[in-house]
């Protein structure tokens, strides 16, 4: 009987020790250290940033595009050493302790990468923060198998920066670099003037160039139809390319980054024996690269 009691007591002791060793290491800003900042407030990108002390940064990003989708990035100072999942819950603050915790989603943890979540989950996190809750990640520590980690985003001081972020997002361009990186535009007959739709396209490109400092090079190649004489058309095509270059310089692109060519009647894309074909041949092609 004594041996049986001893075994039971030892088992209970191991259970207590196990619970003590299985620590939950918690990372979160308190009321004094909770700061939200708005970064990259251009018409190309908006970032809402929250520092988690001694852990890393939580970053919500929206970029110029048709949908202006939102992404979330958990930028960890120490990245995962294995592949796993982190649970994501909405946790009420301490003064709302009676409110229930709600499961939101899971975030995949990839070896040597930060954690990322897509548009729908990122928006849900923002709405929970707006309500005063703390989106919190839970996962098993990859450096100490007996520890659990929790990483919480504090809603303290959130609302003002969130409103500024929404306004920044609303001002983003409704198109991305990929939408303007390769463009074909057309000209009116015997003229360096673009057609109405092409002028609108050029204005889109110009607005983008004003906001992107990472443009590496621009190549402008201009062409004509076969009417008017070869020499005349060669001069006309070069004039068309140079006109576009001047416009881009006015948008802030250094002239040394822009190269132009005029090919005149060469390299037709359509026959010149009808009006539609000639219209397509009177064209300029803009190719933009960025670093």
């Amino acid at each position: 009987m004594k041996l049986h009691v001893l075994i039971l007591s030892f088992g209970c002791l191991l259970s207590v020790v196990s619970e003590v060793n299985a620590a939950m290491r918690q990372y979160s800003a308190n009321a004094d250290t909770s700061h939200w900042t708005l970064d990259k407030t251009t018409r190309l990108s908006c970032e809402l940033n929250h520092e988690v002390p001694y852990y890393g940064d939580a970053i919500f990003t929206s970029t110029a595009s048709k949908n202006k989708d939102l992404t979330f990035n958990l930028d960890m100072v120490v990245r995962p050493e294995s592949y796993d999942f982190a649970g994501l819950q909405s946790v009420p603050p301490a003064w709302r302790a009676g409110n229930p915790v709600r499961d939101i989603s899971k975030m995949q943890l990839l070896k040597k990468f930060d954690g990322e979540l897509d548009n729908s989950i990122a928006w849900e996190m923002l709405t929970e923060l707006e309500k005063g809750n703390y989106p919190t990640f839970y996962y098993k520590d990859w450096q100490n198998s007996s520890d659990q980690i929790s990483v919480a985003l504090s809603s303290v001081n959130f609302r003002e920066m969130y409103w500024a972020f929404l306004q920044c997002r609303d001002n983003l361009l409704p198109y991305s670099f990929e939408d303007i990186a390769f463009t074909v535009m057309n000209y009116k007959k015997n003229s360096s003037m673009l057609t109405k739709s092409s002028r609108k396209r050029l204005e889109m490109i110009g607005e983008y160039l004003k906001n992107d400092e990472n443009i590496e090079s621009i190549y402008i190649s201009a062409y004509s139809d076969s009417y008017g004489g070869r020499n005349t058309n060669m001069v006309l095509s070069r004039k068309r390319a140079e006109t576009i270059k001047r416009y881009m310089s006015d948008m802030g692109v250094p002239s040394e980054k822009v190269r132009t060519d005029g090919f005149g009647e060469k390299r037709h894309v359509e026959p010149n024996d009808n009006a539609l074909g000639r219209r397509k041949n009177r064209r300029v092609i803009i190719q933009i690269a960025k670093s």
Side-chain angles (χ1 to χ4, degrees):
M1 177 66 70
K2 289 182 179 180
L3 178 61
H4 182 65
V5 172
L6 181 61
I7 291 172
L8 284 176
S9 299
F10 183 67
C12 292
L13 178 62
L14 285 177
S15 176
V16 171
V17 171
S18 175
E19 289 179 8
V20 170
N21 287 338
M24 175 69 78
R25 303 211 314 273
Q26 299 176 320
Y27 298 91
S28 178
N30 58 34
D32 294 324
T33 61
S34 179
H35 301 292
W36 289 86
T37 59
L38 186 60
D39 303 319
K40 294 188 179 179
T41 56
T42 70
R43 297 202 70 193
L44 302 182
S45 179
C46 303
E47 281 189 4
L48 182 62
N49 188 297
H50 176 63
E51 181 181 354
V52 181
Y54 308 108
Y55 184 86
D57 291 280
I59 306 168
F60 294 90
T61 305
S62 189
T63 56
S65 64
K66 181 180 178 180
N67 297 323
K68 303 179 184 179
D69 282 345
L70 186 71
T71 58
F72 171 78
N73 178 262
L74 188 60
D75 185 358
M76 313 172 194
V77 173
V78 180
R79 292 181 175 86
E81 293 291 343
S82 59
Y83 297 89
D84 205 344
F85 283 91
L88 173 58
Q89 295 181 325
S90 176
V91 180
W95 57 275
R96 289 180 182 170
N99 290 2
V101 173
R102 187 174 71 83
D103 290 329
I104 296 178
S105 183
K106 289 183 178 180
M107 181 177 69
Q108 190 172 14
L109 298 174
L110 301 175
K111 188 174 181 179
K112 301 299 183 183
F113 283 89
D114 293 327
E116 293 184 355
L117 291 170
D118 62 13
N119 183 68
S120 59
I121 303 303
W123 276 116
E124 190 168 354
M125 291 174 67
L126 287 177
T127 58
E128 290 301 314
L129 284 161
E130 188 179 16
K131 291 187 291 187
N133 295 324
Y134 287 39
T136 305
F137 296 92
Y138 296 93
Y139 60 88
K140 193 173 195 178
D141 186 14
W142 48 82
Q143 294 177 321
N144 187 338
S145 59
S146 66
D147 283 3
Q148 298 287 324
I149 303 292
S150 75
V151 184
L153 279 61
S154 171
S155 59
V156 177
N157 301 319
F158 169 74
R159 280 190 170 230
E160 183 177 351
M161 283 298 102
Y162 179 44
W163 174 240
F165 174 76
L166 292 178
Q167 291 176 306
C168 177
R169 179 181 176 274
D170 185 58
N171 194 46
L172 290 173
L173 294 177
Y175 49 89
S176 66
F177 174 75
E178 288 71 22
D179 295 323
I180 56 93
F182 183 89
T183 300
V184 179
M185 299 184 297
N186 300 102
Y187 288 91
K188 294 182 177 180
K189 184 178 179 181
N190 297 325
S191 171
S192 294
M193 184 175 291
L194 292 165
T195 61
K196 184 176 180 180
S197 60
S198 291
R199 287 200 304 273
K200 289 183 178 179
R201 182 71 178 175
L202 183 60
E203 289 170 1
M204 283 177 55
I205 296 173
E207 191 63 35
Y208 183 92
L209 294 177
K210 285 195 299 185
N211 289 278
D212 195 337
E213 298 178 351
N214 298 314
I215 298 301
E216 188 173 273
S217 64
I218 300 175
Y219 178 51
I220 304 167
S221 54
Y223 308 82
S224 71
D225 58 29
S226 62
Y227 278 50
R230 288 188 178 182
N231 289 335
T232 300
N233 286 331
M234 182 63 74
V235 171
L236 180 59
S237 65
R238 289 172 178 170
K239 181 180 177 182
R240 287 169 173 170
E242 286 297 321
T243 300
I244 300 294
K245 179 177 180 177
R246 285 195 298 273
Y247 174 82
M248 292 184 172
S249 294
D250 291 341
M251 295 298 107
V253 180
S255 58
E256 64 269 17
K257 291 187 176 183
V258 185
R259 183 166 68 92
T260 64
D261 272 320
F263 294 97
E265 300 177 10
K266 301 176 183 177
R267 305 181 185 179
H268 289 156
V269 292
E270 293 288 342
N272 276 291
D273 57 2
N274 61 81
L276 180 60
R278 291 192 294 274
R279 182 181 182 278
K280 290 184 177 180
N281 287 328
R282 296 192 301 269
R283 70 196 190 281
V284 61
I285 299 175
I286 301 175
Q287 300 174 73
I288 306 174
K290 63 183 294 184
S291 54

